[in-house]
């Protein structure tokens, strides 16, 4: 696996159309050098998962993803036994003369179904292990992860301890829906990712949306920034929704925003009725354009409709 300097890593991310600030790339660099998991926290839609995907492409490493959810347990994350196959083997053994089946026979590699964590440990080439939205699990599951996050090994009662063939690049993401344990944080390098500035989002749009013009890309970045900061939306537009909006506008041959265009495409950004109502009551298309083009758009009530 290639050994990058900080600047080389930053450039590698940019080649994957992922824009990182200097302090962020330094944090990622240190996590890689220290071979410690990277815990990325921040609001939904700011590109946390994309860091793992970009690392996978940069290092040409397999991306192994564990999508967390409430109720996730060890069986789904680590391994399961293939009970159907075990049952068939037992039945065949009964039919065979001298075909006694021992417990060791049944709980062996033959009947082991590996799940993401076990796969990451046993993969020959260094993979990227993405443990996505860890905050959706409970603290008990967090504690279960400690062994793999600190020692890069797992214990299976029937098979013993299995050490990683290659220490994986581990990225954990959290939307901060609950506080994570100190034990988990202690094992990770911490990175907080917030919504991008206008300038950063402008660079992201230019990198990810082919054919978008200079004025349109800047106005999209400004408009989305105002929607996130100028009114109280239930769900703020994510970066991926910004990109979808920019692409949609390119498809409509737009070179800049106008009220009719914004009104007809705003549902690419705002995805529930409550936010659409807030947007229309407080801004509307003309109000949004006026607000984002104003030299002083920090006052969220200044541009509201009557």
């Amino acid at each position: 696996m290639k050994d990058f300097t900080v600047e080389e890593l930053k450039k590698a991310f940019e080649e994957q159309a992922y824009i990182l600030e200097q302090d962020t790339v330094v944090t990622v660099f240190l996590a890689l050098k220290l071979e410690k998991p990277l815990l990325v926290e921040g609001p939904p839609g700011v590109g946390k998962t994309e860091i793992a995907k970009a690392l996978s492409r940069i290092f040409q490493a397999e991306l192994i993803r564990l999508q967390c959810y409430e109720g996730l347990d060890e069986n789904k994350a680590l391994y399961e036994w293939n009970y159907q196959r075990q049952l068939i083997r037992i039945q065949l053994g009964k039919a065979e003369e001298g075909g006694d089946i021992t417990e060791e026979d049944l709980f062996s590699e033959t009947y082991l179904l590996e799940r993401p964590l076990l796969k990451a440990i046993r993969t020959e080439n260094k993979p990227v292990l993405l443990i996505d939205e860890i905050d959706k699990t409970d603290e008990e599951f967090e504690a279960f992860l400690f062994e793999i996050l600190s020692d890069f090994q797992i214990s299976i009662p029937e098979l013993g301890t299995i050490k990683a063939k290659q220490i994986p690049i581990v990225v954990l993401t959290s939307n901060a829906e609950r506080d994570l344990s100190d034990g988990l944080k202690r094992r990770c390098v911490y990175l907080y990712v917030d919504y991008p500035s206008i300038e950063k989002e402008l660079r992201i749009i230019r990198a990810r949306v082919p054919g978008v013009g200079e004025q349109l890309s800047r106005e999209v970045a400004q408009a989305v920034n105002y929607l996130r900061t100028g009114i109280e939306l239930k769900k703020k537009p994510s970066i991926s929704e910004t990109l979808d909006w920019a692409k949609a506008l390119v498809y409509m041959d737009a070179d800049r925003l106008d009220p009719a265009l914004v009104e007809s495409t705003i549902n690419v950004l705002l995805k529930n009725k409550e936010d659409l109502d807030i947007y229309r009551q407080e801004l509307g298309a003309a109000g949004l354009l006026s607000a984002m083009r104003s030299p002083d758009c920090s006052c969220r009530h200044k541009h509201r409709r009557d």
Side-chain angles (χ1 to χ4, degrees):
M1 184 168 283
K2 185 176 179 180
D3 194 15
F4 287 97
T5 65
V6 172
E7 291 306 317
E8 287 171 341
L9 184 62
K10 185 176 183 179
K11 183 179 179 183
F13 267 96
E14 290 178 353
E15 289 172 350
Q16 299 301 321
Y18 195 98
I19 309 301
L20 290 176
E21 287 102 349
Q22 188 67 15
D23 56 344
T24 302
V25 75
V26 168
T27 303
V28 176
F29 171 81
L30 291 177
L32 294 172
K33 296 296 284 186
L34 295 170
E35 293 192 314
K36 291 177 74 76
L38 178 68
L39 171 59
V40 190
E41 200 165 54
V46 295
K48 303 185 295 296
T49 301
E50 287 299 318
I51 290 178
K53 293 180 178 177
L55 285 170
S56 172
R57 294 192 295 269
I58 289 169
F59 292 105
Q60 298 181 336
E62 181 182 6
L63 178 66
I64 300 173
R65 182 172 185 164
L66 173 62
Q67 181 63 52
C68 298
Y69 53 87
E70 187 176 355
L72 177 64
D73 59 22
E74 297 177 24
N75 289 341
K76 298 296 183 186
L78 185 56
Y79 72 95
E80 289 182 279
W81 294 107
N82 189 333
Y83 294 118
Q84 287 186 325
R85 196 172 176 188
Q86 287 173 322
L87 184 59
I88 292 171
R89 183 68 188 93
I90 291 171
Q91 292 171 338
L92 289 173
K94 289 178 179 178
E96 296 170 355
E97 185 177 350
D100 294 337
I101 304 299
T102 66
E103 187 172 318
E104 287 73 21
D105 291 331
L106 292 175
F107 292 96
S108 62
E109 288 279 352
T110 305
Y111 304 98
L112 190 66
L113 298 174
E114 64 179 17
R115 300 307 182 206
L117 297 182
L118 180 58
K119 183 178 181 182
I121 287 292
R122 301 207 303 181
T123 298
E124 292 289 341
N125 298 316
K126 183 188 282 285
V128 175
L129 172 61
L130 168 62
I131 303 176
D132 209 9
E133 300 185 339
I134 183 63
D135 53 322
K136 289 188 175 177
T137 64
D138 53 30
E139 290 192 12
E140 185 178 343
F141 187 81
E142 277 186 39
F144 158 72
L145 292 176
F146 287 173
E147 184 180 14
I148 193 170
L149 295 182
S150 57
D151 300 327
F152 299 100
Q153 66 179 33
I154 58 173
S155 299
I156 299 178
E158 298 86 351
L159 300 179
T161 299
I162 300 174
K163 291 184 176 292
K165 294 182 178 178
Q166 296 276 350
I167 294 178
I169 298 170
V170 183
V171 178
L172 301 95
T173 72
S174 168
N175 292 331
E177 291 185 1
R178 67 171 178 84
D179 290 335
L180 301 175
S181 69
D182 291 341
L184 182 77
K185 291 180 178 177
R186 191 165 57 248
R187 288 165 170 79
C188 302
V189 174
Y190 181 78
L191 173 65
Y192 185 82
V193 178
D194 207 345
Y195 288 110
S197 64
I198 292 175
E199 289 305 317
K200 181 179 177 182
E201 196 150 32
L202 176 59
R203 293 181 64 197
I204 295 171
I205 294 168
R206 288 171 178 163
R208 302 285 290 274
V209 182
V212 66
E214 177 65 28
Q215 183 166 354
L216 180 61
S217 56
R218 179 167 290 281
E219 290 190 346
V220 166
Q222 290 173 328
V224 174
N225 180 270
Y226 192 85
L227 287 171
R228 290 186 188 131
T229 59
I231 57 176
E232 296 291 338
L233 295 174
K234 182 177 179 181
K235 179 189 172 305
K236 297 179 181 181
S238 66
I239 294 175
S240 65
E241 287 163 336
T242 300
L243 296 173
D244 286 344
W245 194 35
K247 291 173 185 173
L249 294 167
V250 170
Y251 286 140
M252 299 188 70
D253 297 323
D255 56 13
R256 64 171 303 173
L257 297 179
D258 63 54
L261 196 58
V262 172
E263 190 58 34
S264 62
T265 58
I266 193 66
N267 55 352
V268 178
L269 285 176
L270 306 180
K271 302 291 182 63
N272 62 67
K273 184 176 182 304
E274 185 178 340
D275 283 345
L276 285 169
D277 289 344
I278 292 171
Y279 154 76
R280 286 176 175 135
Q281 289 166 8
E282 300 201 10
L283 285 172
L288 174 61
L289 296 181
S290 174
M292 64 172 235
R293 288 167 178 161
S294 168
D296 177 16
C297 58
S298 59
C299 176
R300 60 182 291 264
H301 300 291
K302 182 177 178 180
H303 307 288
R304 284 184 175 180
R305 286 178 163 178
D306 295 334

